[in-house]
């Protein structure tokens, strides 16, 4: 019994919570897809362009009187279930080798078109859906508003802004996301029925092309023609990726591959064709394990694979595919470039490239209408050498790629730092990387939007959607990776609710500005400004240097988010500098422009090494994967990241996490690149960083914000400690 006198029913509460989550997801998807729906396209034009009649397609036919009556019955139905029955009666004869089916379950989509064999086997679910169909008895749920394109998209937006329309838009998008995530597809179709009207939709990884609304009773031939054409198309014409298919191997050979890939007996295997200079190579592996929770964008998916030559499986490898934007280099090209420059700690490239015919088409329709610009995307697939997940030499790879190959990664996250079978760290996922020589093409960078994984992006990028991604943003991301891991998975007295709240505030929170752009980073900015990165109430059950370390690593970023020094500060600086002649203070430190060339700092590296030398690491401080079993806002939990194949979660101590993180740093010579890359006006000339965490009395900028030491105190403290400022 609750305090208000009502009874508490766990099942009802669970149903309510599930519904609330679905509603929130649908709203998020509708917002995310804003301006990515292109239309209206005339229904006949839609059919001719996207569902062409093939030479062997028989002539279509008209509905009989009984079927027309069933179609009219759709318009008077009062529930979706009643509409399903009428729809099947009216159009069941229009599909060849397929059947409409109502799954009768709460799983969505509930109503759709399936191959006859699937229905006979009772295997109707999202993995086998050929076409999603959404029916609503009221026109209020029409997600779009047909407008005169000549009047422009700004005067009459195509996407209706009512609550019902937005919910419907999010729902049909969610169906498309589920279909793409669980199948191997280039594109997909769906049908939307509202009242006595219908629309067709073609989805791909760039957006959706939507037909104009038409009255399906008065124009039943259009609806009949759609299903007749669709059911006569080959699988490739219905959107399936022909380069992935069920493996045609004997059970004995299949089991050999399962053993190499550590898969359970009975796991279905697929054959993946991967581009290679000498022709496509064939690899075998399971279906992609991690769902992609978005329709548009890169939609990265990964899976363990191996080849099979002369009756023997090869070594376990790592297949990855994503949809790269036109104008951006493919990840294979970056790997080849990094290999050419001898960059260490990167995954060994086996082969890869753009998949033939893997190209989106929504952008073409957008170019023909007065629609918002949409980028073309290409399916890019590659295979890397065997990997398991962790964090070790990632930062060394990052720095060497930046220093030697002029490549900036731009997506530092928990998912992209791995370790190989020898225990050495590997920085992967160069799909968002950029050659610094290419950054002059600012139009290309702006066209593809902000880069990175939201939770680990710098506060500066989150606050400014048009900001160009620079080196200091990547370095800040390393700190957020460590902080997120600590807050989520190191055991302490903070309860799960509080942890979730802080994770949301620091890493997930976002809002839309007046221009409709998603922005965030306010809490990150505040934490870095106040020089206290993790919440003050966050404690561990046992003392551990890891909390001091994360604070140490975060502290230099305060200079990025505090106010620049005043003229009075600069005069005081000049006075202090005049009192010293041993080179501690130089013109370079005063001139913010020169920070871009200041390359010999090793502060990050030494801070981590010093932390690992400490003797006060607790003996039993294993991370707990159950503290936040479901971390919202991220595609995988950190322990899914630490075990690519989701076998058994490893228990990592905080010291192990730091060891991983450190070799991140060997990379950088660590702060070297941080100090070098700070933008003009964001680094006070007399912000002092000491090489050892124990001497962190320094490291406080002399600015208007917060409590700080004077420059004289800072310099004197360093001088007495015998520490040389790099």
């Amino acid at each position: 019994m609750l305090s208000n006198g009502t009874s508490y029913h766990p099942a009802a509460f669970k149903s309510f919570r599930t519904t609330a989550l679905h509603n929130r997801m649908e709203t998020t998807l509708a917002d995310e897809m804003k301006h990515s729906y292109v239309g209206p396209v005339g229904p006949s034009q839609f059919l001719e362009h996207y569902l062409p009649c093939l030479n062997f397609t028989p002539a279509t036919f008209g509905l009989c009187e009984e079927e027309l009556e069933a179609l009219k019955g759709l318009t008077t139905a009062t529930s979706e279930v009643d509409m399903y029955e009428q729809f099947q009666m009216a159009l069941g004869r229009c599909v060849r080798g397929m059947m409409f089916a109502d799954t009768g379950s709460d799983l969505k989509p509930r109503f759709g078109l399936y191959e006859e064999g699937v229905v006979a086997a009772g295997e109707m679910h999202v993995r086998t859906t050929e076409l999603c169909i959404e029916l609503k008895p009221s026109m209020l749920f029409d997600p779009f508003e047909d407008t005169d394109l000549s009047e422009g998209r700004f005067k009459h937006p195509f996407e209706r802004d009512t609550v019902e329309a937005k919910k419907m838009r999010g729902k049909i998008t969610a169906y498309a996301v589920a279909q793409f995530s669980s199948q191997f597809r280039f594109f997909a179709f769906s049908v939307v029925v509202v009242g006595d009207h219908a629309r067709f939709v073609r989805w791909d990884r760039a957006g959706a092309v939507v037909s104009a609304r038409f009255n399906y009773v008065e124009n039943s031939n259009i609806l009949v023609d759609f299903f007749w054409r669709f059911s006569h198309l080959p699988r490739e014409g219905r959107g399936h990726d022909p380069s992935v298919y069920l493996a045609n191997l004997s059970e004995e050979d299949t089991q050999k591959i399962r053993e190499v890939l550590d898969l359970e007996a009975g796991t279905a295997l697929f054959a993946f064709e991967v581009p290679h200079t000498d022709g496509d190579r064939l690899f075998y592996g399971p279906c992609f394990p991690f769902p992609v929770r978005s329709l548009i964008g890169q939609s990265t998916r990964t899976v363990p694979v191996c080849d099979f030559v002369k009756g023997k499986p090869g070594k376990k490898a790592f297949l990855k595919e994503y949809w790269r934007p036109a104008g951006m280099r493919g990840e294979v090209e970056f790997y080849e470039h990094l290999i050419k420059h001898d960059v260490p700690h990167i995954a060994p490239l086996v082969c890869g490239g753009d998949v033939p015919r893997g190209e989106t088409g929504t952008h073409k329709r957008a170019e023909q209408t007065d629609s918002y610009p949409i980028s073309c995307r290409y399916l890019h697939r590659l295979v890397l050498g065997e990997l398991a997940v962790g964090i070790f030499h990632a930062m060394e790879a990052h720095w060497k790629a930046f220093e030697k190959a002029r490549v900036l990664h731009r997506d530092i996250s928990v998912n992209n730092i791995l370790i190989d079978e020898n225990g050495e760290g590997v920085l992967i996922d160069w799909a968002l990387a950029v050659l610094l020589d290419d950054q002059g093409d600012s139009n290309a960078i702006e066209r593809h939007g902000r880069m990175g994984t939201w939770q680990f992006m710098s506060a500066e990028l989150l606050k400014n959607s048009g900001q160009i991604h620079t080196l200091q943003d990547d370095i800040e991301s390393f700190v957020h990776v460590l902080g997120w891991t600590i807050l989520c998975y190191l055991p302490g007295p903070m309860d799960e609710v509080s942890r979730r709240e802080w994770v949301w505030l620091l890493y997930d929170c976002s809002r839309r500005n007046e221009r409709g752009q998603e922005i965030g980073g306010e809490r990150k900015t505040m934490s870095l400004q106040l020089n206290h990165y993790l919440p003050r109430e966050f404690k561990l059950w046992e003392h551990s240097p890891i909390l001091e370390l994360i604070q140490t690593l975060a502290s230099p970023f305060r200079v990025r988010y505090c106010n620049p020094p005043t003229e009075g500060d600069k005069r005081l600086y000049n006075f202090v500098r005049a009192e010293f002649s041993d080179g501690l203070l130089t013109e370079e430190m005063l001139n913010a422009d020169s920070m871009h060339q200041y390359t010999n700092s090793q502060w990050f590296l030494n801070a981590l090494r010093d932390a690992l030398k400490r003797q006060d690491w607790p003996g039993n401080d294993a991370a707990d994967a159950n503290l936040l079993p479901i971390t919202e806002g991220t595609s995988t939990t950190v322990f899914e990241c630490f075990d690519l194949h989701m076998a058994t979660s490893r228990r990592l101590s905080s010291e192990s996490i730091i060891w991983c993180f450190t070799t991140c740093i060997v990379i950088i010579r660590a702060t070297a690149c941080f100090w070098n890359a700070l933008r003009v006006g964001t680094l006070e000339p007399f912000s002092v960083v000491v090489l050892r965490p124990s001497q962190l009395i320094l490291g406080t900028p002399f600015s208007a914000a917060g409590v700080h030491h004077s420059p004289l105190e800072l310099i004197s403290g360093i001088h007495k400690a015998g520490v040389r400022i790099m």
Side-chain angles (χ1 to χ4, degrees), residues 259-539:
E259 291 173 359
V260 170
L261 301 181
D262 300 320
L263 301 175
E264 294 181 359
T267 301
L269 291 185
F270 292 85
F272 297 83
E273 296 177 1
V274 182
H276 189 268
T277 52
D278 299 327
D280 290 349
R281 287 186 58 180
L282 205 58
F283 292 84
Y284 297 92
C287 190
F288 291 113
F290 302 137
V292 177
R293 295 179 173 87
S294 175
L295 179 70
I296 56 177
Q298 295 207 135
S299 306
T300 302
R301 304 198 290 184
T302 60
V303 71
V305 295
C306 70
D307 58 5
F308 193 80
V309 181
K310 296 180 180 180
K312 295 182 179 180
K315 290 185 177 181
K316 182 166 59 176
F318 174 80
L319 182 144
K320 170 186 174 181
E321 68 175 36
Y322 70 97
W323 289 84
R324 73 169 182 86
M328 289 189 66
R329 300 171 187 266
E331 190 169 357
V332 169
E333 187 175 346
F334 278 108
Y335 271 107
E336 292 171 344
H337 184 73
L338 296 171
I339 292 168
K340 177 181 176 181
H341 288 81
D342 297 320
V343 173
H345 309 304
I346 61 171
L349 176 66
V350 178
C351 61
D354 288 345
V355 175
R357 300 182 298 280
E359 177 184 354
T360 59
T362 302
H363 68 285
K364 297 177 182 178
R365 179 59 57 180
E367 291 168 357
Q368 297 170 9
T369 61
D370 186 27
S371 299
Y372 287 85
I374 292 176
S375 294
C376 172
R377 289 182 177 271
Y378 300 93
L379 181 59
H380 194 74
R381 184 178 294 154
L382 63 154
V383 173
L384 305 171
E386 181 179 0
L387 299 171
V389 183
I391 316 172
F392 198 46
H393 292 88
M395 288 188 76
E396 183 174 16
H398 178 271
W399 173 238
K400 292 300 182 184
F402 178 82
E403 182 184 44
K404 298 176 66 175
R406 303 287 293 161
V407 172
L408 188 62
H409 189 277
R410 301 200 299 176
D411 191 15
I412 303 300
S413 74
V414 293
N415 297 325
N416 293 337
I417 303 174
L418 316 178
I419 24 181
D420 63 19
E421 59 185 351
N422 299 316
E424 293 199 352
V426 178
L427 183 61
I428 66 162
D429 197 350
W430 297 83
L432 297 182
V434 63
L435 274 172
L436 298 184
D437 297 337
D438 292 344
Q439 282 203 305
D441 185 7
S442 58
N443 291 333
I445 294 173
E446 291 175 4
R447 183 169 63 250
H448 302 307
R450 192 164 32 193
M451 299 295 174
T453 301
W454 183 271
Q455 288 76 15
F456 310 108
M457 290 169 65
S458 72
E460 184 69 20
L461 288 177
L462 295 179
K463 291 190 298 181
N464 304 290
S465 62
Q467 186 85 1
I468 300 299
H469 197 123
T470 59
L471 179 61
Q472 67 267 32
D473 297 307
D474 270 9
I475 306 304
E476 186 178 327
S477 291
F478 277 110
V479 175
H480 297 316
V481 167
L482 183 60
W484 183 90
T485 305
I486 292 172
L487 190 56
C488 286
Y489 297 105
L490 290 191
M494 181 176 282
D495 60 82
E496 179 184 335
V497 173
S498 298
R499 283 179 186 256
R500 285 189 184 278
E501 181 179 350
W502 276 106
V503 167
W504 183 82
L505 284 172
L506 267 172
Y507 304 108
D508 297 321
C509 184
S510 67
R511 61 182 177 84
R512 292 193 176 272
N513 62 16
E514 62 279 0
R515 291 177 293 179
Q517 299 168 321
E518 191 171 13
I519 60 173
E522 285 85 356
R523 186 68 210 190
K524 281 182 182 174
T525 299
M526 184 183 302
S527 297
L528 293 169
Q529 283 179 337
L530 297 177
N531 204 28
H532 205 287
Y533 183 79
L534 292 177
R536 296 182 184 276
E537 59 268 35
F538 182 79
K539 310 291 181 184

Side-chain angles (χ1 to χ4, degrees), residues 694-708:
S694 59
Q695 296 165 331
L696 195 59
I697 62 166
L698 321 170
T700 306
F702 187 79
S703 67
V707 179
H708 40 260

